[in-house]
Amino acid sequence: MRVIVVGAGIGGTSAALSLCRRGIDAEVYEQAPEPRPLGGGIFVWSNGMTALGQLGLADKVEGLGDTIERFEFLTDGGRMLGEMDFGGFARELGAPTICIVRADVLRTLVDAASEVIHFGEQFTGFEQDADGVTVHFASGHEERCDALVGADGRQSMLRRKLVGEPEDRYLGITTWRGVIPFDHPKAPPHTVRSYFGRGEQFIFHPVGSKRQFWSGAAAAPQGEQDEPGAVKRELLNRFARYPEPVPQIIEASEESEIIRMDVVDRAPAESWGKGRVTLLGDAIHLMAPMAGQGACQAMEDAIVLADCLSSHGDVATRLRSYEAMRRPRTTAVASLAHRNASNVSLTSRPAVAMRNLRMRLIWKGPAQKQFVKMLSEAPKPNGAPAEASRGVTSPSG
Ligand SMILES: Cc1cc2nc3c(=O)[nH]c(=O)nc-3n(C[C@H](O)[C@H](O)[C@H](O)COP(=O)(O)OP(=O)(O)OC[C@H]3O[C@@H](n4cnc5c(N)ncnc54)[C@H](O)[C@@H]3O)c2cc1C
């Protein structure tokens, strides 16, 4: 079987590697002329690390990032709302949670899949018939395959052609973020700190190599822009009353390297594919970053896609079974991210007080259980050789 994947992001490269590990001939076509790994810090939660383990890359990613032991939720005044013991979760789930620069994850995947990635090839369209799919590129190049996978991200052209134009939902929050070299006694190792204010959140965590990722979020009208040259000043004003080291983190950031982005997601899609064509990752389930799961879900998609394509039946049936397995899972995770975003956008004092009370109560038990359940529902290895994560002992071992 020959599969063409459009897009060499985290989803597309994971899909190609997963397919190749199952003996399926997979090729990736990427519009960028060369590898361009970009992006801030991301969480690769235990479920993402489990997927990377199945691609043989968990050790590499673990070595590049920072292993998270503790997650703290606090008010903007520094009062503890709840905490999670990630060391314990890692032992329970058999994989750690790693915070890392997104570019380092992508570079690892691209290096591993380099033999099957074709850069500088922009997908423009496809036709399918009973025997296969013909794929067209802007260069005039054409390819024929048995199955076509759109992993072409948020602006997916393949999705537009296949199932229609999706609508972004603005969640009422804008974010600023950066990655900086930062060493401060109040930025503890292996720890994520997330402060919740009124219509605000500030989160920071290590991402390996003595760097910290930070992100500030605030309720704001959609499309609002910062005055050029005033971003840092505005952020320092906004987060001045937050405990150390929040103001110090902003102070240590370069104005030109602060990225602003409005938070959007999309309603779950009814249809993910037709015939021999399907979608994967942000192309089909763009979610708010407030659960830190977009890339992890794209990697899970990749594992399940390869499982389904290496099973029996005609290609279209195998793809529909991939979609049927992934739709409920990604819908549940996207809905958690949506709820988390609505916790940030609250501005009225009573609503904020209620949220803080709820967080204090639920983080003691139910929310942690629900969260671990979500992480534990990652696709399990199904025949492909897996790699155990370094430094993690499973409950049985
Ligand atoms: C602020 C923020 C924080 C986040 N934090 C986390 C986190 O902590 N954990 C987590 O798991 N996820 C996180 N995410 C989400 C994560 O980054 C994305 O879900 C993930 O990178 C999506 O990967 P993808 O491969 O589906 O798409 P993309 O990374 O967008 O890749 C798509 C690729 O397709 C290529 N392409 C597009 N069109 C064409 C075409 N016509 N022809 C050929 N190639 C094409 C693009 O050039 C690109 O390389 C975060 C996102 C944001 C915005």
Side-chain angles (χ1 to χ4, degrees):
M1 180 185 305
R2 179 152 200 266
V3 179
I4 286 186
V5 179
V6 177
I10 290 177
T13 48
S14 300
L17 287 169
S18 191
L19 289 161
C20 291
R21 283 171 81 85
R22 289 178 176 279
I24 295 173
D25 171 14
E27 307 264 337
V28 186
Y29 287 81
E30 164 60 46
Q31 65 183 1
E34 58 198 32
R36 257 188 339 184
L38 298 168
I42 64 169
F43 288 86
V44 184
W45 303 92
S46 304
N47 61 321
M49 288 303 289
T50 301
L52 281 169
Q54 292 180 58
L55 303 179
L57 297 174
D59 273 2
K60 184 89 195 283
V61 166
E62 205 173 331
L64 291 169
D66 191 277
T67 305
I68 295 305
E69 298 285 341
R70 202 175 148 79
F71 201 133
E72 299 176 349
F73 302 88
L74 306 102
T75 64
D76 51 0
R79 190 158 50 94
M80 188 67 77
L81 292 170
E83 54 200 282
M84 292 199 283
D85 164 21
F86 269 80
F89 293 174
R91 283 185 290 279
E92 195 173 327
L93 297 166
T97 286
I98 304 296
C99 283
I100 185 167
V101 171
R102 182 167 163 270
D104 288 344
V105 182
L106 185 52
R107 194 174 297 111
T108 303
L109 287 159
V110 166
D111 286 351
S114 60
E115 281 178 20
V116 296
I117 305 180
H118 306 267
F119 287 97
E121 290 282 9
Q122 186 184 26
F123 162 86
T124 52
F126 71 91
E127 296 102 39
Q128 56 178 320
D129 52 52
D131 301 323
V133 189
T134 305
V135 190
H136 304 280
F137 298 93
S139 59
H141 181 79
E142 269 183 26
E143 283 290 332
R144 188 85 179 147
C145 58
D146 300 295
L148 173 63
V149 179
D152 47 346
R154 179 175 166 182
Q155 309 296 346
S156 173
M157 180 184 283
L158 218 152
R159 171 175 173 151
R160 272 201 304 278
K161 290 186 182 291
L162 191 64
V163 294
E165 187 82 56
E167 215 172 288
D168 285 352
R169 300 187 293 202
Y170 179 54
L171 301 186
I173 313 163
T174 196
T175 58
W176 299 264
R177 59 187 204 274
V179 175
I180 51 168
F182 191 73
D183 193 13
H184 191 283
K186 295 212 169 146
H190 312 304
T191 302
V192 181
R193 282 216 172 130
S194 182
Y195 297 93
F196 287 83
R198 274 180 66 199
E200 288 170 355
Q201 184 194 22
F202 196 97
I203 183 166
F204 66 88
H205 54 75
V207 284
S209 307
K210 296 196 166 74
R211 295 165 299 174
Q212 290 275 334
F213 169 74
W214 64 268
S215 170
Q222 185 169 18
E224 189 187 75
Q225 297 290 318
D226 291 309
E227 213 182 287
V231 185
K232 218 166 127 171
R233 195 182 64 225
E234 288 291 319
L235 289 175
L236 280 169
N237 285 343
R238 181 181 285 282
F239 294 106
R241 67 182 186 290
Y242 281 59
E244 280 188 35
V246 171
Q248 288 77 8
I249 286 175
I250 300 170
E251 195 58 72
S253 303
E254 288 288 335
E255 169 105 13
S256 59
E257 290 181 11
I258 300 175
I259 298 167
R260 180 172 179 167
M261 209 180 85
D262 285 352
V263 174
V264 298
D265 72 358
R266 291 179 184 147
E270 290 297 316
S271 164
W272 283 38
K274 282 183 193 142
R276 295 169 173 269
V277 189
T278 194
L279 294 157
L280 171 154
D282 279 8
I284 191 62
H285 50 66
L286 182 75
M287 49 188 79
M290 274 70 191
Q293 274 284 337
C296 295
Q297 291 304 309
M299 291 188 275
E300 286 191 7
D301 289 347
I303 302 294
V304 177
L305 176 73
D307 264 359
C308 291
L309 276 180
S310 54
S311 66
H312 301 291
D314 63 69
V315 172
T317 308
R318 295 186 221 180
L319 291 180
R320 296 302 83 75
S321 87
Y322 149 73
E323 294 161 5
M325 286 168 83
R326 293 303 297 155
R327 202 181 299 110
R329 166 86 168 145
T330 53
T331 300
V333 175
S335 137
L336 171 74
H338 192 91
R339 285 199 303 279
N340 288 352
S342 61
N343 265 334
V344 176
S345 59
L346 299 173
T347 50
S348 86
R349 281 186 195 282
V352 167
M354 277 302 292
R355 175 202 63 198
N356 291 354
L357 178 64
R358 206 172 52 238
M359 286 178 86
R360 279 216 311 279
L361 295 174
I362 64 173
W363 281 114
K364 288 208 174 84
Q368 292 212 24
K369 281 207 185 85
Q370 194 194 3
F371 191 73
V372 173
K373 183 169 176 291
M374 185 270 282
L375 295 179
S376 71
E377 283 166 354
K380 300 288 174 291
N382 186 14
E387 169 210 39
S389 249
R390 181 153 52 92
V392 171
T393 322
S394 73
S396 57

